[in-house]
Amino acid sequence: QSVLTQPPSVSGAPGQRVTISCTGSSSNIGAGYDVHWYQQLPGRAPKLLIFGNTNRPSGVPDRFSGSKSGISASLAITGLQAEDEADYYCHSFDNSLSGSVFGGGTELTVL
Amino acid sequence: EVQLVESGGGFVHPGGSLRLSCVASGFPFSDYSMNWVRQAPGKEPEWVSYIDSASRATHYAGSLEGRFTISRDNVNYLLSLEMNSLRDDDTAVYYCVRETIGTNGFDVWGQGTVVTVSS
């Protein structure tokens, strides 16, 4: 069981908006540590989508956005495209484990 | 081009050892903290180890029980992971990962090297 909890799957039609939640606890997200999000295509390494809760690296479309509140964070994807079909992971730091922790991952299906 | 290239993975029997290497290029290696992250088949990524830019601090996942050692050579742009007493559950793709300055996001990942532990 992962320290950060994500829904196993979400889906949406092209053009729609989907959100992926990431719930932690008082030792990680709730303690104020940043949340980061990654996209992983099959057979590829994870790619950074959002860092520091809300920031997009250069080259990531503004269709992707992040937010954080309390012990949870969310990734929103608007204008869903077929190429967005992938696994998405959240990541933060946990002070009780003294290290980085990842969510269990969410598989996004574009209908 | 910013790049991380891992090597050293392979097949090993339980109890064996491996040394993974990662060569960095395209950025000032000595300015960045680095990590190893692994991913077992069909599972989420799992953080393994961290080393700061000047090798003053290292951290490890508790599950490793002291079997792994991270090190770096800033002159040669090289990150290493020495893995001992390997177990079946160490089987995974191992990624060399750069940490974002100012936050602990992982902004550059290598292509990964596969480690298989099996009898």
Side-chain angles (χ1 to χ4, degrees), chain B residues 5 16 19 23 27 29 31-32 41 43 47 50 52 56 59 83-85 88 92 96 113 118:
Chain B
V5 179
R19 184 179 181 89
V23 177
F27 66 97
F29 184 66
D31 286 355
Y32 289 83
K43 305 287 283 184
W47 171 75
Y50 159 94
D52 76 355
R56 291 163 299 193
H59 298 290
M83 305 187 297
N84 298 313
S85 303
D88 289 357
C96 170
T113 186
S118 176

Side-chain angles (χ1 to χ4, degrees), chain A residues 6-108:
Chain A
Q6 298 180 232
S9 63
V10 297
S11 62
Q16 284 190 331
R17 178 181 187 268
V18 296
T19 62
I20 299 172
S21 61
C22 174
T23 303
S25 67
S26 58
S27 61
N28 41 68
I29 300 174
Y33 295 107
D34 285 342
V35 178
H36 322 286
W37 291 91
Y38 305 86
Q39 178 192 62
Q40 187 174 32
L41 299 171
R44 304 290 298 273
K47 169 192 169 185
L48 182 65
L49 269 185
I50 298 289
F51 68 95
N53 307 313
T54 61
N55 304 290
R56 280 187 310 276
S58 172
V60 173
D62 60 7
R63 301 187 296 105
F64 296 89
S65 63
S67 63
K68 174 188 163 184
S69 179
I71 64 168
S72 296
S74 289
L75 173 71
I77 309 171
T78 59
L80 210 54
Q81 300 179 5
E83 67 199 50
D84 299 332
E85 200 161 271
D87 293 327
Y88 293 82
Y89 297 96
C90 59
H91 159 219
S92 187
F93 182 86
D94 190 287
N95 58 30
S96 67
L97 299 173
S98 298
S100 282
V101 289
F102 286 89
T106 299
E107 180 181 22
L108 170 62

